[in-house]
């Protein structure tokens, strides 16, 4: 019997292996497949060790760890010795005394002739032992410090730097006396000109670390002479390295000695012939700006750095990248010292760097611009300029931003290279905060970055998109409504197109992140805009997307949209679609997503809301034909029981108990049955809360009652808006009727500014009461805080305060209350006290409130209308 054989090259089948393939639908397959088969012969790997070598590598199994380590270091091969050195931290933890007494001396002997690999391993192991604090610092210095110092001058640069890093870490924690005798005194000879370049470079870094360990007079006496000598070294690498350590020297000696001894050295190094030395001096001067006094900064530092910037831009392009990175810090540090002319000069210099490489700049020809290395350098310069843009925004101020920096901001946001736009997207929120009242200026750039072709740019912008959108829509000189009218028409298409582009890509993590960030939209745009532009898209993602985290993110965001939807008709439609398309869907995958959505409902909504709309739909899934769905429902049963309150939900409790009994009696899947039995034990231990407060449920009840109050406010807000529309229509009809009546009379008509309440009449009382009632409800609606999205983070403190008083903030209810309604209630008090009657409200309180308020307010409005007509007549 034959079947086609294919050569498989995959992670499951390594190259060169065969497997049988029956994919052709026939046991015999096709002859053509065999004809094209090529046999690839690969050499079989055999052991390269001879019996003598194997015997030499064999170690007696009866030896303990310490004896084995000593044996391998004494007579083993290099690879075995390296293994012992790598295992040294473990030996120190297990047997510190024996290891320090027997193993470490052997390591010291072996390192004299060891190769690079063992040297690097030893440096890392010594550093690990120090960081783990396996032994005291005194024992460490006694056992390891001399080994470190002996290998510091290794001929291999990598090994030498590894030992130097270990030594610097030892200096950080060692006592002063040990440092003075073991490190500082020998350092005098190692820093001499006669020593190797590598030794002098190491001395520079050691001196910088020592400056933080001693007092100023010791540094002046013992360290500064060596510093001056190394600053005047014949090799530019040494001068540059020592120049970068002057920052730490200055911090050690203080401001006075820095002015007299460190600053002159920096000034001299800033005029050095080597470009790397000048760059090191420039960066050190920038880092020490806060140490220098006003006089030194204005008379010495400022002219020096300005001259450096001029020369670098014209003749020394090699330092432009580092210079552009430090420019924002420089301008911020010298703020208040610049004259108007100097301020303009540094601003124009920054603008030139932002345009570098985009067109012919600095006298370069087109052939030079096309050079690949030069393009990379210019890209780095513009990227650094984008990084420094927030600092430059502070430099010019928000009032001058539009004139001085907006064109540069526009240029960087539309830069042809992705890294520049990515950096601008990272700092966009910071710029928005700095602009304050002028934030609306950059809303077009926000839209452009949302529509950027690169998903990396969009992903960077999403990190702080909730804060950015809130600043855009609520901040500025204009009112929130005016800002929204300016920004939202462009913003909504940009947000929807951004989601479409991420959805069409393969970057599901970016898609998940975007959907999570879109949960802020109820605080940015109206519920109608969310309903028509975003909410149905969430449904489509849940139903069609194949990535579980993306589906869960869409379900969570949809629940938040539902939470803040203002129209009862729309809310009922969303709930019905959730139950029909997910809970009763044909795909078991959709039914599982319905259960995930119900968990979010439990998180964001009150228990009464869940019991009213979703409780029975979840229980129905205990009879689902798919075992995985039933198992998921069983895991949720304790959460379902926790939503019930007796005696109001007694019938739901009976339904729950009946479903559990049916599962225990009829369930055939062993995994589901095991979960059911475990869940039954947990349900038996649970206690149900009552309608009245109980101490053991106090915190949870407070949080739930706050959610329930806010849901009632949604109903009341809808009533108020409906009444407002009706009153406006009636008032318009009355005005037209009054106008016709005045036109028909020859007498003098009533003045236009006649107050609505007629003084001296008893009929004015219902009008005032009605208005005050509407104001009270409006103020209560404004207390609907945006913090409910993260209600789990706010625990008892916020809940206990909201039990008696709900605060009214500036931007607490932007998506819910129209500005026209706000203007009618702006003169009202800042807080409204609620009675505790809503705490024990029954499940159907929302509908009863709605009916009562509709009846009372309609009757009042009819009385007002009739009385006003009588008074006018």
């Amino acid at each position: 019997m034959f079947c086609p054989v294919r050569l498989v090259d995959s992670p499951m089948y390594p190259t060169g292996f065969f497997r049988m393939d029956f994919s052709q639908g026939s046991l015999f397959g096709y002859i053509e497949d065999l004809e094209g088969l090529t046999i690839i012969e690969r050499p079989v790997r055999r052991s390269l060790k001879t019996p003598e070598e194997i015997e030499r590598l064999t170690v007696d199994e009866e030896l303990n760890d310490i004896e084995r380590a000593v044996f391998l270091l004494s007579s083993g091969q290099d690879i075995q010795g390296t293994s012992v050195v790598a295992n040294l931290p473990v030996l120190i933890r297990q047997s510190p005394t024996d290891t320090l007494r027997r193993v470490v001396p052997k390591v010291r002997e072996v390192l004299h002739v060891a190769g690079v690999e063992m040297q690097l391993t030893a440096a890392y192991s010594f550093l690990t032992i120090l960081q783990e604090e396996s032994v005291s610092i005194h024992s460490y210095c006694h056992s390891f410090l001399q080994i470190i110092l002996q290998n510091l001058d290794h001929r291999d640069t990598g090994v030498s730097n590894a030992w130097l890093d270990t030594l610097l870490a030892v200096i950080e924690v060692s006592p002063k006396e040990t440092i003075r005798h073991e490190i500082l005194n020998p350092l005098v000879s190692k820093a001499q000109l006669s020593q190797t370049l590598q030794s002098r470079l190491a001395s520079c870094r050691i001196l910088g670390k020592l400056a933080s360990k001693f007092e100023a007079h010791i540094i002046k006496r013992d360290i500064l002479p060596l510093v001056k000598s190394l600053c005047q070294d014949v090799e530019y690498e040494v001068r540059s390295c020592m120049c970068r350590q002057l920052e730490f020297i200055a911090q050690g000696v203080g401001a006075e000695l820095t002015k007299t001894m460190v600053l002159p050295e920096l000034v001299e190094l800033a005029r050095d012939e080597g470009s790397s030395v000048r760059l090191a001096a420039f960066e050190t001067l920038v880092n020490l700006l806060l140490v220098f006094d006003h006089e030194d900064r204005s008379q010495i530092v400022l002219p020096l750095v300005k001259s450096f910037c001029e020369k670098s831009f014209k003749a020394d392009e090699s330092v432009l990248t580092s210079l552009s990175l430090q420019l924002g810090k420089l301008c911020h540090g010298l703020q208040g010292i610049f004259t108007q002319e100097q301020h303009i000069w540094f601003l124009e210099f920054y603008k030139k760097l932002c345009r570098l490489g985009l067109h012919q700049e600095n006298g370069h020809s087109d052939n030079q611009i096309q050079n690949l290395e030069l393009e990379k350098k210019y890209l780095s310069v513009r990227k650094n300029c984008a990084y420094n843009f927030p600092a430059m925004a502070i430099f010019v101020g928000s009032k001058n931003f539009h004139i001085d920096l907006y064109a540069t901001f526009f240029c960087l946001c539309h830069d042809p290279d992705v890294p520049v736009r990515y950096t601008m997207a990272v700092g966009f929120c910071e710029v928005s905060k700095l602009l304050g009242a002028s934030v609306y200026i950059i809303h077009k750039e926000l839209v452009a970055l949302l529509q950027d072709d690169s998903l990396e740019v969009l992903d960077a912008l999403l990190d702080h998109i909730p804060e950015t959108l809130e600043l855009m829509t609520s901040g500025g000189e204009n009112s929130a409504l005016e800002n929204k009218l300016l920004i939202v028409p462009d913003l909504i298409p940009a947000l929807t197109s951004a989601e479409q582009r991420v959805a069409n890509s393969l970057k599901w993590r970016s898609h998940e992140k975007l959907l999570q960030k879109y949960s802020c939209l109820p605080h940015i745009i109206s519920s109608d805009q969310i309903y028509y532009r975003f909410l149905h898209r969430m449904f489509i993602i849940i139903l069609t997307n194949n990535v579980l985290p993306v589906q869960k993110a869409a379900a969570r965001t949809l629940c938040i949209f539902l939470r803040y939807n203002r129209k009862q008709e729309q809310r009922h439609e969303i709930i019905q679609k959730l139950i029909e398309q997910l809970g009763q869907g044909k795909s078991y995958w959709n039914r599982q997503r319905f259960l995930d959505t119900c968990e979010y409902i439990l998180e964001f909504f009150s228990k009464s809301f869940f019991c009213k709309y979703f409780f029975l739909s979840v229980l129905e899934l205990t009879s689902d034909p798919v075992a995985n769905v039933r198992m998921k429902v069983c895991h949720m049963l304790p959460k379902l029981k926790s939503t019930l309150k007796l005696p109001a939900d007694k019938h739901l409790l009976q339904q729950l108990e009946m479903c559990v009994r049916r599962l225990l009696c009829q369930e055939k899947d062993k995994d589901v049955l095991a979960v059911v039995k475990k869940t039954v034990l947990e349900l038996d231990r649970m206690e149900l809360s009552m309608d009245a407060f109980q101490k053991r449920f106090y915190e949870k009840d407070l949080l739930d009652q706050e959610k329930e109050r806010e849901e009632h406010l949604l109903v009341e807000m809808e009533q108020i808006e409906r009444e407002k529309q009706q009153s406006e229509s009636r008032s318009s009809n009355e005005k037209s009727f009054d106008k016709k009546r005045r036109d028909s009379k020859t007498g003098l008509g009533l003045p236009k500014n006649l107050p609505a309440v007629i003084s001296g009449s008893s009929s004015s009382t219902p009008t005032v009461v009605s208005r005050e009632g509407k104001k009270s409800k409006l103020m209560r609606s404004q207390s609907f805080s945006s913090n409910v999205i993260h209600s789990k983070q706010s625990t008892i403190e916020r809940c206990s305060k909201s039990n008696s008083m709900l605060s009214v903030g500036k931007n607490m209810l932007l998506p819910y209350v129209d500005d026209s309604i706000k203007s009618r209630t702006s003169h009202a008090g800042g807080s409204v006290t609620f009675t505790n009657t809503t705490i024990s409200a029954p499940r159907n309180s929302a509908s009863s409130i709605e009916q009562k308020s509709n009846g009372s307010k309609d009757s009042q409005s009819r009385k007002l209308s009739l009385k006003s007509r009588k008074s006018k007549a």
Side-chain angles (χ1 to χ4, degrees):
M1 183 180 296
F2 297 96
C3 60
V5 182
R6 292 184 181 178
L7 187 62
V8 177
D9 190 1
S10 70
M12 292 181 60
Y13 301 93
T15 304
F17 281 75
F18 292 96
R19 70 176 172 92
M20 311 303 288
D21 189 357
F22 297 95
S23 59
Q24 300 296 333
S26 171
L27 289 176
F28 297 98
Y30 299 99
I31 302 300
E32 303 89 77
D33 294 335
L34 292 176
E35 293 176 354
L37 180 63
T38 303
I39 304 298
I40 301 177
E41 295 184 0
R42 298 186 183 277
V44 179
R45 182 174 180 175
R46 293 185 175 87
S47 176
L48 300 178
K49 302 295 182 182
T50 63
E52 293 79 9
E53 290 174 330
I54 294 175
E55 183 179 359
R56 192 164 56 249
L57 292 172
T58 305
V59 182
D60 188 1
E61 295 181 358
E62 296 181 357
L63 297 177
N64 59 33
D65 293 340
I66 301 296
E67 293 173 346
R68 186 184 297 109
V70 173
F71 173 78
L72 292 176
L73 289 171
S74 303
S75 58
Q77 294 190 356
D78 289 343
I79 188 171
Q80 292 175 317
T82 303
S83 176
V84 172
V85 173
N87 199 45
L88 198 59
V90 178
L91 294 176
I92 289 286
R93 288 195 296 269
Q94 294 175 350
S95 305
T97 304
D98 291 341
T99 305
L100 294 177
R101 182 171 57 87
R102 300 183 60 187
V103 180
V104 174
K106 285 292 181 182
V107 173
R108 183 173 184 173
E109 294 176 6
V110 172
L111 286 177
H112 282 295
V113 293
V116 172
E117 185 177 357
M118 186 180 290
Q119 288 277 351
L120 293 173
T121 304
Y124 178 76
S125 295
F126 285 15
L127 181 60
T128 303
I129 295 170
L130 178 69
Q131 293 172 343
E132 292 179 351
E133 299 180 357
S134 303
V135 295
S136 65
I137 188 61
H138 177 74
S139 300
Y140 186 93
C141 292
H142 181 267
S143 302
F144 295 101
L145 184 55
Q146 287 301 320
I147 302 176
I148 296 172
L149 292 173
Q150 288 174 2
N151 293 279
L152 193 62
D153 296 329
H154 196 277
R155 60 183 179 274
D156 186 272
T157 304
V159 172
S160 177
N161 290 333
W163 285 113
L164 178 59
D165 292 337
T166 305
L167 178 62
L168 296 177
V170 173
I171 293 174
E172 191 72 30
V173 296
S174 297
K176 293 181 181 179
E177 290 301 320
T178 302
I179 295 174
R180 180 189 293 275
H181 292 97
E182 301 291 341
I183 299 175
L184 182 57
N185 292 337
L187 191 65
V188 176
S189 61
K190 289 182 175 293
Q192 298 300 318
L193 190 61
S194 58
Q195 296 294 322
T196 62
L197 173 63
Q198 190 170 314
S199 176
R200 303 202 301 277
L201 290 173
S203 299
C204 295
R205 295 183 61 187
I206 295 172
L207 287 172
K209 181 63 71 173
L210 291 177
S212 62
K213 299 295 293 185
F214 294 102
E215 293 79 8
H217 68 278
I218 297 178
I219 298 174
K220 180 181 179 181
R221 185 189 65 197
D222 298 335
I223 295 180
L224 279 181
L226 297 176
V227 171
K228 287 186 177 181
S229 174
L230 292 170
C231 285
Q232 298 171 3
D233 196 276
V234 295
E235 298 292 341
Y236 74 91
E237 295 101 326
V238 178
R239 298 196 301 274
S240 176
C241 183
M242 192 65 249
C243 183
R244 295 186 183 278
Q245 302 303 316
L246 289 179
E247 176 184 353
F248 309 107
I249 302 293
Q251 294 173 358
V253 299
E256 294 183 3
L257 287 177
T258 298
K259 182 175 182 177
T260 57
M261 305 193 72
V262 177
L263 183 57
E265 294 294 331
L266 277 173
V267 173
E268 185 177 351
L269 291 170
R271 300 188 179 99
D272 196 275
E273 60 183 8
S275 60
S276 62
V277 181
R278 295 196 302 273
L279 178 61
F282 172 78
E283 293 178 355
T284 305
L285 283 170
V286 173
N287 293 332
L288 291 176
L289 282 175
L290 298 178
V291 179
F292 302 132
D293 56 25
H294 185 276
E295 182 182 356
D296 290 337
R297 279 185 285 175
S298 60
Q299 297 182 5
I300 299 176
V301 178
L302 181 55
L304 201 61
V305 296
K306 183 180 178 183
S307 174
F308 177 77
C309 293
E310 289 176 340
K311 292 179 181 178
S312 300
F313 192 78
K314 292 180 180 179
D316 194 3
E317 294 176 338
S318 60
V319 300
L320 280 180
T321 303
S322 299
L323 188 153
S324 61
L325 186 61
Q326 298 290 333
L327 190 58
K329 190 176 182 179
L330 172 66
C331 293
H332 183 68
L334 294 177
Q335 190 92 9
I337 296 177
F338 293 113
T339 64
Q340 185 65 24
E341 181 182 353
Q342 291 169 337
H343 187 279
I344 295 174
W345 188 91
F346 275 95
L347 181 59
E348 291 300 321
F349 180 73
Y350 173 75
K351 292 179 180 179
K352 287 182 181 179
L353 293 180
C354 292
R355 297 191 300 268
L356 199 62
L358 297 180
H359 50 78
Q360 188 168 341
E361 193 69 60
N362 195 22
H364 298 296
S365 64
D366 292 338
N367 293 332
Q368 289 175 311
I369 295 295
Q370 293 174 359
N371 185 281
L372 184 61
E373 293 298 325
L374 203 58
E375 287 182 359
K376 290 182 179 179
K377 187 182 300 182
Y378 289 162
L379 170 60
S380 299
V381 171
R382 298 199 306 276
K383 181 182 176 181
N384 291 337
C385 289
Y387 170 79
N388 283 306
F389 193 89
M392 299 305 297
I394 298 175
F395 181 64
V396 302
S398 59
K399 293 182 179 179
N400 300 321
F401 178 85
H402 189 269
I403 299 174
D404 293 338
L405 270 184
Y406 176 73
T408 303
F409 184 77
F410 177 87
C411 183
L412 291 173
C413 288
H414 293 82
D415 194 274
D417 291 301
V418 172
V420 180
R421 303 197 304 275
Y422 174 86
T423 308
M424 291 300 295
V426 170
F428 196 95
C429 183
E430 190 67 26
V431 176
S432 301
K433 293 177 183 177
L434 294 173
L435 289 180
S438 305
V439 68
Y440 62 91
I441 297 174
I442 60 173
H443 81 275
K444 292 183 179 179
E445 282 65 41
L446 174 63
V447 172
L449 291 176
L450 283 171
Q451 296 175 335
D452 196 278
D453 295 333
S454 173
L455 292 181
E456 295 178 5
V457 176
L458 178 60
D459 191 70
L461 191 65
L462 288 175
D463 289 333
H464 301 284
I465 195 66
E467 299 93 327
T468 305
L469 293 177
E470 186 174 354
L471 289 168
M472 285 285 176
T473 54
S474 62
E477 298 174 352
N478 300 326
S479 66
L481 180 60
E482 292 176 350
N483 280 343
K484 288 184 179 182
L485 292 176
L486 288 172
I487 296 170
V488 169
D490 297 331
L491 185 62
I492 291 178
L495 291 172
T496 55
S497 65
E499 191 277 325
Q500 291 284 352
R501 284 187 292 107
V502 178
N504 293 333
S505 70
L506 298 178
K507 296 183 178 181
W508 64 265
R509 289 182 179 86
S510 297
H511 196 193
E512 178 192 14
K513 180 180 178 180
L514 181 141
L515 294 175
Q516 291 172 348
K517 297 297 181 180
Y518 276 12
S519 62
C520 72
L521 291 180
H523 309 291
I524 309 300
I525 58 181
S526 68
S527 62
D528 280 340
Q529 290 169 327
I530 291 175
Y531 178 79
Y532 291 110
R533 300 301 299 271
F534 294 95
L535 198 142
H536 295 285
R537 176 61 184 166
M538 297 300 115
F539 267 112
I540 294 174
I541 294 172
I542 296 172
L543 292 170
T544 61
N545 198 284
N546 296 323
V547 181
L548 180 59
V550 174
Q551 287 182 309
K552 287 188 174 182
R556 185 181 186 276
T557 303
L558 184 144
C559 291
I560 294 174
F561 289 167
L562 175 63
R563 178 72 179 83
Y564 292 99
N565 189 280
R566 295 174 56 186
K567 294 186 177 180
Q568 192 171 3
E569 181 181 354
Q570 293 177 357
R571 289 196 298 272
H572 288 166
E573 180 186 348
I574 298 167
I575 292 169
Q576 185 178 2
K577 289 183 69 175
L578 282 173
I579 294 173
E580 292 179 355
Q581 298 186 20
L582 292 180
Q584 300 172 0
K586 295 181 179 179
S587 171
Y588 88 97
W589 188 259
N590 290 340
R591 298 196 295 275
Q592 285 188 318
R593 299 296 74 76
F594 173 73
L595 296 176
D596 292 333
T597 306
C598 287
E599 291 188 0
Y600 294 129
I601 294 289
L602 287 170
E603 179 182 354
F604 298 125
F605 291 82
S606 66
K607 296 176 182 179
S608 60
F609 182 91
F610 179 82
C611 290
K612 182 177 180 181
Y613 294 108
F614 294 96
F615 191 94
L616 294 177
S617 298
V618 175
L619 282 185
E620 288 177 2
L621 293 178
T622 55
S623 302
D624 195 273
V626 178
N628 285 347
V629 179
R630 298 197 302 275
M631 187 181 300
K632 195 174 183 68
V633 177
C634 292
H635 284 298
M636 286 185 63
L637 291 180
K639 292 182 180 180
L640 295 183
K641 187 174 181 180
S642 66
T643 63
L644 302 178
K645 284 186 179 182
L646 295 179
D649 297 326
K650 185 177 180 180
H651 65 291
L652 295 179
L653 179 60
Q654 293 173 350
Q655 293 283 342
L656 175 64
E657 292 174 349
M658 185 174 62
C659 290
V660 173
R661 285 195 296 269
R662 186 176 66 251
L663 285 170
L664 286 172
C665 297
Q666 301 178 5
E667 183 58 52
K668 297 180 181 179
D669 189 280
K670 61 179 182 179
D671 296 326
V672 178
L673 187 59
V675 174
V676 172
K677 291 179 179 179
K678 183 179 178 181
T679 304
V680 168
L681 297 177
E682 186 176 354
L683 290 173
D684 290 338
R685 291 193 297 267
M686 292 181 62
E687 296 183 18
L688 288 175
S689 61
M690 310 299 289
D691 281 341
F693 270 126
Q694 295 173 283
K695 290 184 178 180
R696 58 182 178 274
F697 302 114
Y698 185 73
E699 296 182 12
K700 294 181 180 179
D701 285 345
L702 279 178
L703 184 60
D704 184 66
Q705 294 302 334
E706 183 189 358
K707 295 178 182 177
E708 193 167 348
R709 276 196 302 273
E710 291 164 353
E711 291 163 5
H712 293 165
L713 284 177
L714 277 175
V715 178
E716 294 181 5
M717 289 160 55
E718 190 173 2
Q719 295 171 4
I720 292 171
E721 290 183 1
R722 191 183 301 114
E723 292 175 9
K724 174 179 172 288
Q725 293 174 358
Q726 293 174 359
S727 62
E728 287 179 353
S729 62
R730 285 196 297 268
S731 62
S732 61
N733 293 333
E734 290 175 3
K735 286 180 181 179
S736 61
F737 175 77
D738 291 342
K739 185 178 180 181
K740 291 179 181 179
R741 184 170 55 81
R742 284 195 301 268
D743 292 341
S744 63
K745 291 183 179 181
T746 57
L748 186 62
L750 290 174
K752 293 182 180 180
N753 57 354
L754 185 65
V757 180
I758 302 175
S759 61
S761 174
S762 61
S763 64
S764 63
T765 303
T767 306
V768 176
V769 171
S770 177
R771 289 185 177 180
E772 291 301 325
K774 292 181 180 179
K775 291 175 184 177
S776 175
K777 289 184 177 181
L778 279 173
M779 297 304 295
R780 290 172 63 189
S781 67
Q782 287 179 336
S783 67
F784 200 16
S785 171
S786 61
N787 293 329
V788 180
I789 287 184
H790 309 287
S791 60
K792 282 194 173 182
Q793 300 174 1
S794 62
T795 66
I796 184 64
E797 295 180 3
R798 180 169 61 83
C799 298
S800 59
K801 291 180 182 179
S802 63
N803 188 25
S804 60
M805 182 177 293
L806 296 177
S807 300
V808 181
K810 178 182 177 182
N811 298 322
M812 301 298 279
L813 199 60
L814 287 179
Y816 308 110
V817 184
D818 294 334
D819 288 273
S820 59
I821 302 179
K822 286 185 179 180
S823 63
R824 294 171 55 190
T825 60
S826 59
H827 63 279
S831 63
V832 179
T833 301
F834 292 89
T835 62
N836 290 330
T837 56
T838 57
I839 292 177
S840 59
R843 297 295 189 201
N844 299 326
S845 58
S847 59
S848 62
I849 290 173
E850 185 176 353
Q851 293 172 1
K852 291 178 181 179
S853 58
N854 282 336
S856 61
K857 291 173 183 175
D858 287 340
S859 61
Q860 287 182 5
S861 59
R862 286 194 296 271
K863 290 178 181 179
L864 287 174
S865 177
L866 181 60
K867 289 180 180 179
S868 60
R869 291 182 181 179
K870 289 181 180 179
S871 61
K872 290 178 182 178

